[in-house]
Amino acid sequence: MRFPVRLLTFAPVAALAVMALALPSAAGPDKIKFPANWKDHVLYSVVDRHDTKQYRELYASTQAAVDAMKAGKPLPDGTVLTLVQYKAQVDAAGTPVKDARGRFVKGDIIALTVMEKRQGWGTEYPAEWRNGDWEYAAFNPAGVLNEKANYKACFECHKPHEKADYVISLAALRGATASTTAPKPDVRIAGFVFGPNKHAGTVGQPVTWLNEDDSPHQVTIVSTKERSPILLKGQSHVMGFNTAGTYEYICGLHPSMKGTIEVR
């Protein structure tokens, strides 16, 4: 994952020294230090992941970062966002246990995923990867860097959210209200599942998705890369299909969620 800067071997020694000072350090997750004090950070969101049976907490290093998210502004330089993943406690049948509020009950910590923003970071990445000044790193509960994690997937997942400073959770923090004029949904999103998984329609007939999950989702057509906005709970999105065919789609935020639209 590291992208070391290689200097030309025939350059004069003095020139090498100057260039080494001017060039940015190598890209990669080891730029990020494990945030050992993450429990002292600001807890700004909690998510139940039905698909992976996980309970997740999201922390920001400062209140200023949370305030920027709520205002829809870029996050301050130096911001550290930490996603703490826990196993959800389950019953004898393997079903997640819920508390009095209907939320998952957290068990042991599985891992921590961190994104950190520093001015000048990311310049080493190709344009199709770069997420502004953000870097990503994954750690085990002991704070050891996971060097085998698929960091490219982090960049690819966050890349479409440039207008939100690449922070997917920003939309949920800003909040939104459901549309009162939305048509009856053809596909409901609940429990991290598209239901029905397959929907049949006709050319020119719009298809409506409604998010009923606490977690945000984003309908993404695989073949065309067309995406809905990030849908919060109660929000819907309508897409039209003007050509007959089979359209596979996923959730852009949770790619394991899949569905199909059959257009005749």
Side-chain angles (χ1 to χ4, degrees), residues 49 51-52 192-194 197 249-259:
R49 283 292 298 265
D51 56 331
T52 57
F192 283 75
V193 173
F194 293 112
N197 181 257
Y249 67 92
I250 62 173
C251 173
L253 310 184
H254 314 105
S256 62
M257 296 172 56
K258 300 178 181 180

Side-chain angles (χ1 to χ4, degrees), residues 57-80:
E57 295 175 338
L58 289 86
Y59 291 83
S61 53
T62 65
Q63 184 61 47
V66 176
D67 293 342
M69 280 192 256
K70 290 180 178 179
K73 297 179 180 179
L75 276 64
D77 181 61
T79 293
V80 178

Side-chain angles (χ1 to χ4, degrees), residues 42-223:
V42 182
L43 175 65
Y44 69 88
S45 186
V46 174
V47 177
D48 295 334
R49 283 292 298 265
H50 295 258
D51 56 331
T52 57
K53 297 182 181 180
Q54 290 183 7
Y55 171 93
R56 296 183 170 188
E57 295 175 338
L58 289 86
Y59 291 83
S61 53
T62 65
Q63 184 61 47
V66 176
D67 293 342
M69 280 192 256
K70 290 180 178 179
K73 297 179 180 179
L75 276 64
D77 181 61
T79 293
V80 178
L81 302 180
T82 304
L83 168 64
V84 186
Q85 300 164 246
Y86 299 83
K87 291 181 180 178
Q89 294 185 26
V90 298
D91 59 21
T95 302
V97 176
K98 296 184 179 181
D99 62 18
R101 300 169 299 168
R103 305 304 300 260
F104 286 180
V105 178
K106 63 183 178 183
D108 296 331
I109 293 181
I110 302 170
L112 299 91
T113 303
V114 179
M115 55 188 295
E116 183 171 346
K117 183 180 185 181
R118 297 284 177 183
Q119 185 175 5
W121 280 11
T123 56
E124 308 92 340
Y125 293 111
E128 62 269 23
W129 278 31
R130 187 178 181 185
N131 284 190
D133 294 333
W134 292 98
E135 279 278 10
Y136 301 88
F139 300 90
N140 70 15
V144 178
L145 179 68
N146 181 356
E147 296 182 348
K148 296 182 179 180
N150 183 3
Y151 293 109
K152 181 181 179 182
C154 295
F155 288 94
E156 291 175 338
C157 184
H158 288 255
K159 181 66 175 177
H161 307 287
E162 181 176 359
K163 292 182 179 179
D165 199 13
Y166 305 96
V167 180
I168 296 171
S169 54
L170 182 148
L173 196 62
R174 293 185 68 185
T177 56
S179 171
T180 57
T181 60
K184 181 179 178 180
D186 301 294
V187 181
R188 297 179 184 273
I189 308 171
F192 283 75
V193 173
F194 293 112
N197 181 257
K198 293 184 179 181
H199 173 75
T202 57
V203 172
Q205 178 184 12
V207 177
T208 302
W209 286 263
L210 172 66
N211 183 17
E212 297 180 341
D213 269 343
D214 289 330
S215 177
H217 294 290
Q218 184 179 49
V219 178
T220 304
I221 307 300
V222 174
S223 59

